[in-house]
Amino acid sequence: MLGNFEYHNPTKVYFGKGALENLNEELKNYGKTVQLIYGGGSIKKNGIYDAVVAALHACGKEIVEDGGVMPNPTTEKVLEGAAIAREHAVDLLLAVGGGSVCDYAKAVSVSAYCDGDFWQKYYVDFEDPTCKVIPVACVLTMVGTGSEMNGGSVITNHKEKRKIGHVFGSDVMPKFTILDPTFTYTVPKRQMVAGIYDAFNHICEQYFSGEDDNVTDYLCEGLMRSIVVSSYKAIEDPCDYEARSNLMWAATWALNTLLDMGKETDWEVHMLGQAVGAYTDETHGMTLSAVSLPYYRHILPYGVKKFRRFAVEVWKVEEKGSDEEIALKGLAALEHWMKDLGVAMNISELGVTPDMIEGIAEATRVMDGGYKVLTHAEIVKILQESL
Ligand code: NZQ
Ligand code: ZN
């Protein structure tokens, strides 16, 4: 049974080939100074930077450059960006890139005018912003995180060896987001498949919880099937528009505040993956894939009905044998697909060594919405099985 909820997603989406042409019209709603936020330079190579700058100039905006946002953005970089935003009294933070760039823009949005330590306030104490928040908008170039239409912002603190996400409210979510699937054609294959697995896992995190039959389960199963089908097409031809557009929209819906309405969610794979990320600085989707199967095999006995349903509805496993046998066949099908994608299948290949396990386990937040609240010993066991 769905619990009560209030639903409101304020992000306006422009989707499709040429969607960037809507930028000019949107920019009219904001003041003169725009902080142009981007990553390590991919947008300068593929022409997206020039197109965005042309739109900003056409609208008479003053551009304050803020490039060099790294994958897994850091606390130091957020402080740098917040100082830029304050100094220039920017009116809009325009993130042009993937999840890292968009997450970083949200962190800058709530930190520029924050009194005190933004890390402690938002990422340790999970407080809501009480200061002025700068509007954020997004031009997405890499599919996976859903950051383009949600309030999530994940920041890495290398000193403390912690990678933590805060889900901010609607005032921090992008005001508008531009999704042109052709912008993703140049994403390297390793990043593309990591993003595909990330999106798929966002759905798993919201699916593997609860015992009820509700509308969300059906939405999840449809989205998962669509991602699997499109993933094969995109691997074969990175410029397959149908596949790229399906992946882009499915990934947005995978984490745009819809699927978790009125139901419990898990998110333990993400907590494990983020802790691995804090120690390795590895690609987010790979940190998830590397721990997923040991985790799901561990919790399967506590949620066997749902894992059985996953096997039958998502992977079309024949309904022969015990519930547990069918459920395990579903995880075998998931494993097969992950290997076809080419995502990381263990944490050793991401640079984790046995001596890191205790620290990673310590950095793993324990969630209580899934099928099993993990003990520290169980976390250590899952990480050891992931090696
Ligand atoms: O930095 P540049 O040069 O732009 O290159 C990037 C980067 O190296 C490259 N790239 C992006 N678009 C490209 C491209 N290369 C060629 N052509 C393009 N069109 O891809 C690399 C990875 O980019 P990044 O933004 O780091 O990837 P992703 O979108 O996977 O974002 C990962 C971050 O998002 C967080 C993750 O933890 C991680 O820090 N997440 C955010 C979430 C949210 N906001 O809700 C939820 C997720 O679970 C996730 O935790
Ligand atoms: Zn994720």
Side-chain angles (χ1 to χ4, degrees), residues 136-181:
V136 172
C138 170
V139 176
L140 193 70
T141 67
M142 143 105 204
V143 162
T145 65
S147 189
E148 65 275 13
M149 201 179 174
N150 70 33
S153 168
V154 183
I155 299 298
T156 298
N157 184 324
H158 284 300
K159 265 193 220 121
E160 294 183 15
K161 282 201 176 337
R162 289 290 184 275
K163 181 177 183 186
I164 302 177
H166 183 121
V167 182
F168 292 102
S170 44
D171 49 341
V172 184
M173 289 166 70
K175 300 291 176 213
F176 65 90
T177 203
I178 291 176
L179 304 181
D180 182 336

Side-chain angles (χ1 to χ4, degrees), residues 121-373:
K121 182 177 169 75
Y122 303 125
Y123 296 89
V124 178
D125 297 337
F126 296 108
E127 287 178 24
D128 287 327
T130 42
C131 60
K132 174 182 163 184
V133 165
I134 306 171
V136 172
C138 170
V139 176
L140 193 70
T141 67
M142 143 105 204
V143 162
T145 65
S147 189
E148 65 275 13
M149 201 179 174
N150 70 33
S153 168
V154 183
I155 299 298
T156 298
N157 184 324
H158 284 300
K159 265 193 220 121
E160 294 183 15
K161 282 201 176 337
R162 289 290 184 275
K163 181 177 183 186
I164 302 177
H166 183 121
V167 182
F168 292 102
S170 44
D171 49 341
V172 184
M173 289 166 70
K175 300 291 176 213
F176 65 90
T177 203
I178 291 176
L179 304 181
D180 182 336
T182 67
F183 285 5
T184 68
Y185 288 174
T186 54
V187 174
K189 187 187 171 210
R190 187 174 191 274
Q191 293 295 339
M192 177 184 83
V193 297
I196 290 172
Y197 187 74
D198 185 25
F200 187 90
N201 190 258
H202 291 158
I203 305 169
C204 294
E205 299 277 31
Q206 297 165 96
Y207 182 77
F208 290 122
S209 48
E211 294 262 311
D212 312 339
D213 172 54
N214 66 45
V215 65
T216 306
D217 295 327
Y218 298 87
L219 289 171
C220 287
E221 287 153 3
L223 287 169
M224 287 193 270
R225 286 209 44 74
S226 163
I227 288 174
V228 172
V229 169
S230 299
S231 69
Y232 283 106
K233 294 183 184 166
I235 287 170
E236 199 178 307
D237 176 10
C239 299
D240 181 323
Y241 185 79
E242 187 178 58
R244 289 297 202 156
S245 54
N246 281 333
L247 286 169
M248 193 171 222
W249 196 218
T252 300
W253 279 98
L255 194 51
N256 76 346
T257 72
L258 175 78
L259 297 181
D260 62 355
M261 286 299 111
K263 81 178 290 291
E264 287 199 295
T265 56
D266 183 359
W267 293 106
E268 197 59 55
V269 169
H270 270 67
M271 297 305 109
L272 288 157
Q274 281 174 205
V276 169
Y279 274 72
T280 60
D281 206 25
E282 257 290 351
T283 302
H284 171 64
M286 297 299 186
T287 65
L288 306 178
S289 60
V291 298
S292 286
L293 289 164
Y295 173 69
Y296 287 135
R297 290 197 171 112
H298 184 81
I299 63 159
L300 184 143
Y302 305 94
V304 75
K305 267 200 199 152
K306 196 59 162 284
F307 280 98
R308 182 192 193 282
R309 179 173 169 158
F310 175 69
V312 173
E313 298 301 333
V314 179
W315 301 104
K316 306 298 168 202
V317 169
E318 215 185 325
E319 296 186 63
K320 255 168 100 184
S322 68
D323 286 353
E324 186 156 349
E325 280 165 355
I326 295 168
L328 280 168
K329 281 187 192 156
L331 289 187
L334 170 63
E335 180 171 7
H336 189 271
W337 173 62
M338 289 166 74
K339 287 183 175 160
D340 283 350
L341 278 183
V343 290
M345 299 305 288
N346 59 65
I347 54 179
S348 306
E349 56 183 290
L350 303 179
V352 174
T353 46
D355 58 301
M356 294 181 190
I357 294 290
E358 196 51 49
I360 295 173
E362 203 55 54
T364 302
R365 205 169 139 214
V366 178
M367 306 303 277
D368 61 4
Y371 290 123
K372 173 79 179 70
V373 179

